[in-house]
Each structure stands twice: as structure tokens, then as C-alpha cells.
Amino acid sequence: MTGPQEVNSAWIPVLSRSVVLRHDRVRDTDLLVLPERVVVLRGSAGSVLRLCDGANDVGAIVATLAAQHPGAPVADEVPVFLGRLRAEGWLT
């Protein structure tokens, strides 16, 4: 398994079967609902995870976010973020 720093751009990430992405309207924040716990997502993490739909590879996710956020370091940060979630078992 590759580490969080080494994510293949051809990998097509998708949420694991036991993980659900939800938006909490009361707190206006995105959540990852896992068995027996909830992870509160910060910043644009929810936007990144919405693109992990099994149709977009990492390269396409980075390209989409780079177009939406010009000048942001998405090419450096997004693959590392996805790698961390994969290491946690939240993405497959």
C-alpha cells in the first residue's frame, strides 16, 4: 500500500462502504459519518470528498479543484490529504 505522501494520480478514490459524507445544516459543516464516530471536516475537505465518487481519478480531482481555486496549492495538498484518508481506511 502506498503511504499518504505517495498517491498515484490514476487512483480513483471512493468512500469506503462504511463511510458516509453528510452536510450538517445546523453547524454548516461537512461530516464523515463512520461506524461509532463522526469526523468534522474543515475547510474545503468536503468539496474534495464530493469528487471522490468513483468516477474521478486523483488527477481529475486536482484539475477540477485547481480550476475552482486558481493559485491554491491543490496539486501538492490534495493527493496528500487523500492519501491520509486512504491510510485511515476511509477511502478505497
Side-chain angles (χ1 to χ4, degrees), residues 17-74:
R17 290 191 308 175
S18 62
V19 179
V20 178
L21 177 63
R22 297 262 190 245
H23 183 76
D24 183 337
R25 286 186 239 162
V26 173
R27 294 181 191 98
D28 193 28
T29 191
D30 292 311
L31 309 170
L32 277 183
V33 181
L34 308 156
E36 303 197 22
R37 73 176 173 167
V38 173
V39 176
V40 178
L41 300 174
R42 297 180 188 216
S44 58
S47 299
V48 174
L49 290 176
R50 278 187 191 80
L51 295 172
C52 296
D53 57 5
N56 297 300
D57 63 20
V58 174
I61 292 169
V62 167
T64 299
L65 293 169
Q68 292 173 356
H69 307 281
V74 296

